Amino acid sequence: EKGTYPHYMLKEIDEQPLVTRRIIDKYRNDADEITVDSEIVAAVNAADRIYIVAAGTSYHAGLIGKQFIENWAKIPVEVHIASEFSYNMPLLSPNPLFIFISQSGETADSRAVLVQIKELGHKALTITNVQGSTLSREADYTMLLHAGPEIAVASTKAYTAQLAVLSILAAVAAEGKGRSLEFDLTKELGIVANAMEVLCDQKEEMEEIAKEYFATTRNAFFIGRSVDYYVGLEGALKLKEISYIQAEGFAGGELKHGTIALIENGTPIIALSTQEHVNLSIRGNVKEVVARGANPCIISMKGLEEEDDRFILPSVHEQLSPLVAVVPLQLISYYAALHRDCDVDKPRNLAKSVTVE
Ligand code: F6R
């Protein structure tokens, strides 16, 4: 039930700190170490390459999961859009492991790939919010998101739960390979949960930003580099699906290769900067669009902030920044939709689970 909340989406955004803490608890043993079913760890470590398959928001989570697994466990990962996989099947490595990421566990496009790769005799792990869902039943292994039911069509808490679970899987896989992380993931995820809470308490600020940038605009761009680019893709998807504003997520350096032609006076550009190694270059990209009249909204992480930044994110471990950076984007989309009189929880043309291919 949504209780005193006007919309499920807002409730589910607010649940993210709690869900993050619940995930830490569910994937922790008595000795307070993070732990994942040993069969899953063995399957991940036996793989010479991981193929993540997903759709929509879950695909965006997969892009970040790839970074966790490659950076920490050093296993190569490819991320594929489910509906494209069958038509353009990649050349598979000798010992692949498939990871299906699906909030509902019912997405037909993802299931079609699961059926196909099972026929080829490959192993699959499903990361899902729904125990007993089709993708969970038909895969060899399941990791649950423990996010509680997600009712709003726009996925929010499932996305951050997917990131948290993927980070846990990557950390445990890294350990299995004899590479322990340079930081304590449990502790850092706890800091993430606290930061999410701080952000959820800043709704007025998000509403202001939504009014200032999105009250009447026709289009918008989200730019970032590295994982900020992937978070921008998710921010753009949220804005599109509930406010019907045409929004695109772009890699900061790619705009100038064509899309910059769309920048007009006042075009909103949400720029994310949470990564020190790309901070200067994304700020360079912002200057390029500002010179063409764009209206910039820079969201940066504490420690990287500059004077004109519109919003500063509380500091968390750099590699976990997507879990935090997405929260203001979810809230801004929510308020943009609200102010444009859109049906936040049930946007037009969309269903919560897409059971047709
Ligand atoms: C976006 C959204 C969709 C889903 C996609 C996959 O907010 O909800 O893009 O993420 O349809 O759904 P699942 O994760 O259930 O496979």
Side-chain angles (χ1 to χ4, degrees), residues 16-26 190 193-194 197:
Q16 292 176 110
L18 175 145
V19 170
T20 305
R21 292 189 188 110
R22 190 189 293 147
I23 290 170
I24 301 170
D25 256 18
K26 296 278 183 185
N194 295 345
E197 215 158 65

Side-chain angles (χ1 to χ4, degrees), residues 5-309:
Y5 281 95
H7 297 98
Y8 282 106
M9 184 182 178
L10 195 61
K11 172 173 180 266
E12 290 163 5
I13 291 172
D14 262 0
E15 283 171 350
Q16 292 176 110
L18 175 145
V19 170
T20 305
R21 292 189 188 110
R22 190 189 293 147
I23 290 170
I24 301 170
D25 256 18
K26 296 278 183 185
Y27 289 98
R28 185 156 58 177
N29 64 16
D30 295 341
D32 258 6
E33 299 151 346
I34 47 168
T35 174
V36 171
D37 186 299
S38 57
E39 275 186 36
I40 297 177
V41 183
V44 171
N45 283 331
D48 58 357
R49 187 173 283 261
I50 291 173
Y51 296 80
I52 294 180
V53 178
T57 290
S58 298
Y59 170 74
H60 294 156
L63 295 171
I64 293 165
K66 169 187 162 86
Q67 305 299 315
F68 294 150
I69 297 170
E70 290 196 338
N71 289 343
W72 304 346
K74 307 289 179 201
I75 305 167
V77 181
E78 292 179 17
V79 193
H80 292 272
I81 292 176
S83 60
E84 278 295 302
F85 189 93
S86 312
Y87 303 103
N88 201 359
M89 185 146 156
L91 189 60
L92 299 182
S93 66
N95 292 307
L97 173 73
F98 282 80
I99 300 182
F100 292 86
I101 307 177
S102 175
Q103 188 284 130
S104 63
E106 301 297 342
T107 298
D109 288 325
S110 300
R111 172 155 191 258
V113 179
L114 175 58
V115 169
Q116 196 180 5
I117 63 102
K118 293 294 333 168
E119 271 167 16
L120 294 172
H122 299 310
K123 295 263 188 239
L125 158 68
T126 291
I127 299 180
T128 182
N129 203 23
V130 184
Q131 194 162 20
S133 58
T134 307
L135 281 161
S136 167
R137 280 185 279 111
E138 295 182 0
D140 301 273
Y141 320 102
T142 296
M143 286 178 80
L144 290 175
L145 298 177
H146 299 292
E150 192 181 63
I151 309 290
V153 164
S155 183
T156 54
K157 63 176 177 174
Y159 172 80
T160 45
Q162 286 162 346
L163 297 184
V165 169
L166 284 161
S167 76
I168 287 170
L169 179 65
V172 172
E175 242 167 65
K177 295 233 178 252
R179 309 172 169 275
S180 40
L181 296 196
E182 291 149 20
F183 59 94
D184 177 347
L185 182 63
T186 311
K187 179 173 152 244
E188 296 299 334
L189 284 173
I191 294 172
V192 162
N194 295 345
M196 287 170 158
E197 215 158 65
V198 169
L199 291 167
C200 289
D201 283 341
Q202 286 173 287
K203 294 196 182 67
E204 279 165 26
E205 180 74 11
M206 303 306 161
E207 191 166 2
E208 275 308 304
I209 294 176
K211 281 199 253 178
E212 185 180 330
Y213 290 87
F214 299 124
T216 57
T217 192
R218 213 161 41 87
N219 59 0
F221 292 91
F222 289 73
I223 63 170
R225 284 173 177 254
S226 180
V227 289
D228 292 339
Y229 161 41
Y230 301 145
V231 177
L233 291 176
E234 175 57 11
L237 178 59
K238 285 292 87 88
L239 189 65
K240 277 186 273 205
E241 64 182 330
I242 60 169
S243 78
Y244 317 140
I245 296 167
Q246 181 153 20
E248 293 306 329
F250 255 88
E254 187 63 11
L255 271 184
K256 60 181 177 296
H257 297 288
T259 306
I260 202 164
L262 293 174
I263 306 295
E264 299 174 334
N265 255 343
T267 305
I269 299 273
I270 313 300
L272 287 177
S273 181
T274 73
Q275 306 288 305
E276 194 175 2
H277 67 294
V278 291
N279 182 40
L280 285 180
S281 52
I282 192 66
R283 288 176 186 283
N285 298 137
V286 172
K287 290 200 181 87
E288 289 161 9
V289 291
V290 167
R292 275 92 180 166
N295 184 15
C297 172
I298 302 180
I299 300 180
S300 59
M301 186 150 286
K302 192 155 183 48
L304 299 175
E305 75 270 29
E306 289 185 13
E307 208 180 315
D308 291 334
D309 294 358

